[in-house]
Amino acid sequence: MEDYISSFSFDRRLAPYDIEGSIAHVRMLSAKRIVPSKDAAKIIRGLKSIGSDIAKGKRLPKAEDIHFAVEAELVRRIGDVGKKMHTARSRNDQVVLDLKLYVRKAANDVIGKIVKTQKAVLGCASKNSSVLMPGYTHLQHGQPLFFAHHILAYGWMLERDKGRFKDTLKRLDENPLGACAFAGTAFPIDRAKTARALGFSKTSENSVDTVSDRDFIVEFVFASALLMTHLSRFAEEMVTWSSSEFGFVKLPEHLTSGSSIMPQKRNPDTAELIRGKSSKTIGNLTQLLSLIKNLPLSYNRDLQEDKPPLFDAADTALASLDIAEQTFAGMKVNAERMDEECRKGYLLATELADYLARKGMPFRKAHAAVKQLINSLRINFKFGEDLENVPLSELREYSTLFEQDIFKHLSPRLNAAAKNSYGGTGSKALAVQIRNFKKLLK
Ligand code: ARG
């Protein structure tokens, strides 16, 4: 029974927050004369000494959970006066407080690492600012674009992720302490005082809601799951792009590893593991939602199981951001390989249609004419897949609007550089984008 109900193996990491919360609580009890100030001073000194021992690596004796462990240790150190600490409080509001303090720290840590990763994205884009690559839809060659434009897409995803963690912090910002078991207390406590001491700008309004609420955990883990999903898409591109089939990038040596049997191998293990671990975070979110969905109000012991998925999501997000940052910073981009691919797959077919449309042919008709042309090129394969090599006479079989000047438009680089609609890959649009992105990172 003891082993079964114990959360100590995983909630011991809440110790610093538990102690911080107890100190604020006891200071308030003393100010309100609920506990004599001499006793409160003893308790606070005891709590601080426990805190500094834990910071030095000392472990508390085993207990049912971290709250009982700290209280038992306090009584061991200062005697029966320590038993006054839990006046006008319950483990139910205490655990919500500990978790809020933990999530607040974790969300700020994640935000800090997101910014670092965004800086690495920007560095990667700037370092390779003139590199051209084939852009994809359906993993088929679509249109040429600048590599920097593609890679900056991840920077904007991370910006939205940052916003979601900030949102989590906004809604978490209510002091739960003083909700007690679930109904409040008849002691004349001052919840605004503990709110100020613990850095909350508001105090929760409904004590039943307060001890039942785990929204802030679900929000944090959702933000982590979506962050991991973004990192996983990036990781997937790193795995494929570093394969010999693509050969677009070389991953930093220290982020790859060898095989125990095939001596030639450099496997993209870290990218694969970002992809693999993202599924775990999605699992964490599912676990939390299903943990809560059938719980009657208010506190239920089931809620103890909120901690492992929360801690796992936070640890995974922080570690994966480190790897992603180093990948953005250290990957070597193979511009020639990408250039070579820009000469394949009829990458400028849209440009042929746009050319006809600019000359007055309705776009849908232009699209059909170019489609016919490409179909026949595919069958004959006389001129390869690079439209620059198709003679004008051949083009004119499909529309007499084609003239010599079409070849000016068939360079992948010029084609990409001209796409200057706002947010597009064109050189001018890209410069605006980079300027705007830089502003976010100040
Ligand atoms: N270890 C418990 C948890 O994590 C603390 C709260 C216990 N409350 C109770 N009424 N048994 O949820």
Side-chain angles (χ1 to χ4, degrees), residues 5 7 11 64-67 90-92 95 214 299-301 303-307:
I5 69 167
S7 53
D11 70 8
E64 186 183 307
D65 59 24
I66 183 60
H67 323 296
S90 154
R91 281 186 296 159
N92 297 352
V95 73
R214 295 295 183 277
Y299 177 85
N300 299 271
R301 191 59 178 259
L303 289 173
Q304 180 163 292
E305 296 295 325
D306 59 2
K307 287 160 208 72

Side-chain angles (χ1 to χ4, degrees), residues 120 175 256-257 291 294 341 369 386 394:
N175 180 20
T256 63
S257 68
L291 174 70
N294 281 352
E341 283 302 318
D386 182 354
E394 182 76 19

Side-chain angles (χ1 to χ4, degrees), residues 2 18 47 66 68-69 92 114 134 277 310 348 381 383 394 412 426 442:
E2 273 174 25
D18 198 71
L47 285 169
I66 183 60
F68 277 154
N92 297 352
I114 288 178
K277 285 172 194 281
L310 166 65
L348 293 180
F381 208 68
F383 310 108
E394 182 76 19
K442 287 236 174 81

